[in-house]
Amino acid sequence: MKILIARMNHETNTFSPVPTPLAAFGVNGPTYDADAYAENLGGRTAMSAFIDLARAAGAEILTPVSATANPSGPVAQAAYDTLCNCIVAASDHCDAMMLDLHGAMVAENSQDGEGDLLERLKARHPQKAIGVALDLHGNVTQKMIDNADVIVSFKTYPHIDMYETGAHAGKLLLEMLAGDIKPVIAWERLPLMTHTLKSADQSPAMHAAIEAAKAAEQNGVLAASVLAGFALADIAAPCISVVTVGKDSASAQQAAHNIATLIWESREGFVYTSPPLADSIRGAKDMSGQSRIQSAECGNPQGPILLLDHSDNCMSGGTCDTMDVLQEALAQGLNNIGVGPLCDPDAVDQMAQAGEGANLTLRLGNKRPLSSLGIVKEPVTLTGRIKRLTNGEYIISGPTYTGLKCSMGRTALFVCGDLELVVTERTHEPWDLGVFTSVGLDPAKKDFLLLKSRMYCRPVFFPIAKGFVECDSSGVTSSNYALFPFKNIEHPVYPLDPQTQWPA
């Protein structure tokens, strides 16, 4: 038996000005064939689980490509075509396919990146089974449902069950190939655009939906997935979905409908309302004077207050260079602030030329025009010292992407009194304390830590923090949908249209 195993991941923010060429997929572009296999062997991705299952089954394994890019703007046509053509060509030489996809890819030439790929594969090989692992934030489409035999998505956000999801999807596909099951997929999509901050698996409404999915699996459904969707993709329906895999159509459809009904009844719980930025910073300032930790999630009463700049989060397509939160923090007199990572390649280049120890006046941040939102900002002028220059590499300690080597590009630690900024060449999620410690900054010793992050920082930074404040402003990952000029959304949809009914 020959099994094709491939990875093609991208969450597309159609409003993001950050480009997505082929080179964006991976540290130095995608990996192919033996390199793709080696990159995922022993890892914690869904593709890693597929490889382990195929090896255990004694199958011959084809790994034509492994490609994952940080969320950003629409995937370049040349990049999308290259990745899809690579997978489609390899499909001629296999008996079945296991695909590690995201579910929210939009390309310059495709509004439905995954659906169009699956349609090509199924049209070319209608008898070959296809199993798919998806991200929890996938925007499920009819093409995905029609052209896959098994679909399973993550149940955690932050995503720490990527491997387990691959194992689940792969196991079902192998059982199908062995003739043990004949899986049937059912799907319910709701007219509900969720906010990413409300899609965390511990957020009450999402938690209840995921628990219902787990209960369905315990009661005979082969797989039940709740996909929150990714609303910053301006497509017809970037909405929450329920996908079930069952032994028969009736039970699968009933399970999907039951979970969807639960979601709709708690739809307000999937909507996040941002307080004004000034109020958020004021709350952080008040919290800093307290001697106790804010919540059970936080673990250090002497630690920093985290300022989570979710309006400029690179893992939702942010530029990582907006300065609104820092400007408001400085205006309100916050001291001893650590910032990072701030993406400003021009500033990094100037610092690299000046060298460690040099004093410099820089125009920092606010350099990528947010044209899709009609917003132009001015850089902030700061004078300070270049304390450290590095290649920006570190190893993630976990729990997400444990052991993965990361590169922020050339990186500098710029110090302006007690304000310390980690400035990078690349947009980068603060996955790990290594974002700071790799350049000699101890984040636990700051009073405030400004993170360009929404969710992934939490498992690592909350244990060293006293508390946190979610900060929203005018960036391309803002939770304020009023900022976004949606053109392709099908109406009515909640919460854009508060009177939306379901079923219609």
Side-chain angles (χ1 to χ4, degrees):
M1 181 168 58
K2 295 182 180 180
I3 299 178
L4 182 157
I5 299 174
R7 187 177 192 212
M8 187 179 80
N9 282 187
H10 189 254
E11 182 178 82
T12 306
N13 180 334
T14 59
F15 299 98
S16 174
V18 180
T20 315
L22 188 64
F25 289 85
V27 175
N28 297 300
T31 54
Y32 301 96
D33 302 318
D35 290 336
Y37 180 91
E39 180 179 76
N40 288 274
L41 181 64
R44 298 297 300 171
T45 64
M47 184 169 174
S48 302
F50 291 156
I51 290 172
D52 288 348
L53 284 169
R55 291 179 70 192
E60 183 178 337
I61 300 171
L62 310 177
T63 52
V65 66
S66 176
T68 183
N70 283 343
S72 47
V75 177
Q77 178 175 341
Y80 179 69
D81 289 346
T82 295
L83 297 175
C84 290
N85 290 344
C86 184
I87 295 170
V88 171
S91 70
D92 292 342
H93 309 290
C94 72
D95 301 305
M97 292 164 258
M98 296 181 179
L99 302 178
D100 180 348
L101 306 177
H102 184 283
M105 176 184 280
V106 178
E108 291 174 342
N109 56 331
S110 173
Q111 289 282 293
D112 183 4
E114 292 84 358
D116 286 343
L117 169 64
L118 291 170
E119 185 178 56
R120 285 181 64 186
L121 290 169
K122 208 63 171 177
R124 193 177 181 105
H125 303 291
Q127 302 306 315
K128 293 184 180 181
I130 301 175
V132 178
L134 292 178
D135 191 287
L136 176 143
H137 294 109
N139 290 324
V140 180
T141 66
Q142 190 66 55
K143 283 185 180 180
M144 294 185 207
I145 299 300
D146 291 345
N147 295 288
D149 297 284
V150 170
I151 294 177
V152 184
S153 77
F154 307 159
K155 286 185 170 67
T156 63
Y157 178 50
H159 307 315
I160 57 174
D161 65 336
M162 292 177 283
Y163 183 93
E164 289 76 9
T165 300
H168 192 168
K171 178 176 178 290
L172 292 180
L173 194 75
L174 289 176
E175 290 176 357
M176 176 186 174
L177 294 173
D180 297 332
I181 59 172
K182 294 181 179 180
V184 177
I185 295 179
W187 174 47
E188 291 266 6
R189 183 172 64 199
L190 293 148
L192 169 58
M193 292 168 60
T194 70
H195 281 94
T196 306
L197 277 167
K198 291 297 186 177
S199 63
D201 57 280
Q202 294 305 309
S203 185
M206 188 66 175
H207 180 74
I210 291 171
E211 289 302 305
K214 292 178 180 177
E217 291 175 348
Q218 293 170 356
N219 289 315
V221 173
L222 298 172
S225 301
V226 178
L227 297 101
F230 184 63
L232 299 181
D234 188 13
I235 58 175
C239 297
I240 191 167
S241 286
V242 180
V243 176
T244 55
V245 182
K247 298 174 184 177
D248 62 84
S249 180
S251 62
Q253 191 62 55
Q254 187 62 56
H257 184 72
N258 290 345
I259 300 168
T261 299
L262 174 68
I263 290 170
W264 188 250
E265 290 173 349
S266 59
R267 58 192 176 278
E268 292 181 2
F270 290 92
V271 177
Y272 179 88
T273 302
S274 297
L277 177 57
D279 290 352
S280 297
I281 298 300
R282 197 172 297 114
K285 189 175 183 179
D286 292 342
M287 195 184 304
S288 68
Q290 300 174 6
S291 59
R292 57 184 175 82
I293 60 174
Q294 175 190 4
S295 68
E297 298 173 283
C298 301
N300 182 7
Q302 283 75 48
I305 305 297
L306 306 180
L307 309 177
L308 304 185
D309 186 3
H310 62 90
S311 60
D312 189 27
N313 165 33
C314 88
M315 289 309 289
S316 291
T319 60
C320 274
D321 85 327
T322 66
M323 302 293 279
D324 307 43
V325 177
L326 178 59
Q327 287 173 286
E328 183 62 32
L330 294 175
Q332 292 198 30
L334 272 60
N335 298 308
N336 195 26
I337 306 172
V339 180
L342 176 69
C343 180
D344 191 332
D346 292 339
V348 171
D349 193 55
Q350 291 180 58
M351 287 188 274
Q353 292 183 41
E356 283 188 4
N359 294 314
L360 208 60
T361 296
L362 293 172
R363 284 165 51 82
L364 280 169
N366 287 348
K367 291 176 182 175
R368 280 194 187 269
L370 308 182
S371 304
S372 64
L373 306 185
I375 295 172
V376 178
K377 303 173 186 278
E378 286 296 320
V380 175
T381 301
L382 293 172
T383 298
R385 180 172 62 89
I386 306 163
K387 187 174 181 180
R388 186 82 180 273
L389 293 168
T390 76
N391 63 4
E393 294 181 354
Y394 69 93
I395 304 293
I396 295 178
S397 60
T400 307
Y401 294 126
T402 305
L404 181 69
K405 183 178 182 179
C406 287
S407 174
M408 301 182 284
R410 291 185 301 171
T411 299
L413 179 60
F414 190 58
V415 179
C416 312
D418 63 5
L419 169 64
E420 299 185 77
L421 303 99
V422 176
V423 189
T424 66
E425 282 189 307
R426 297 179 177 178
T427 61
H428 191 77
E429 173 74 24
W431 299 108
D432 194 84
L433 301 180
V435 166
F436 295 98
T437 59
S438 65
V439 293
L441 191 161
D442 184 350
K445 292 184 178 179
K446 306 305 291 184
D447 291 332
F448 300 93
L449 206 57
L450 197 168
L451 301 174
K452 296 286 190 176
S453 184
R454 189 193 305 275
M455 194 63 63
Y456 290 109
C457 65
R458 299 183 185 219
V460 175
F461 286 89
F462 275 31
I464 70 163
K466 178 192 291 188
F468 69 97
V469 174
E470 291 161 344
C471 301
D472 202 356
S473 61
S474 52
V476 293
T477 70
S478 171
S479 295
N480 178 10
Y481 288 162
L483 288 175
F484 300 92
F486 293 108
K487 297 177 181 178
N488 299 311
I489 301 293
E490 292 180 351
H491 293 271
V493 63
Y494 190 86
L496 300 186
D497 307 302
Q499 303 307 314
T500 301
Q501 298 294 312
W502 181 82

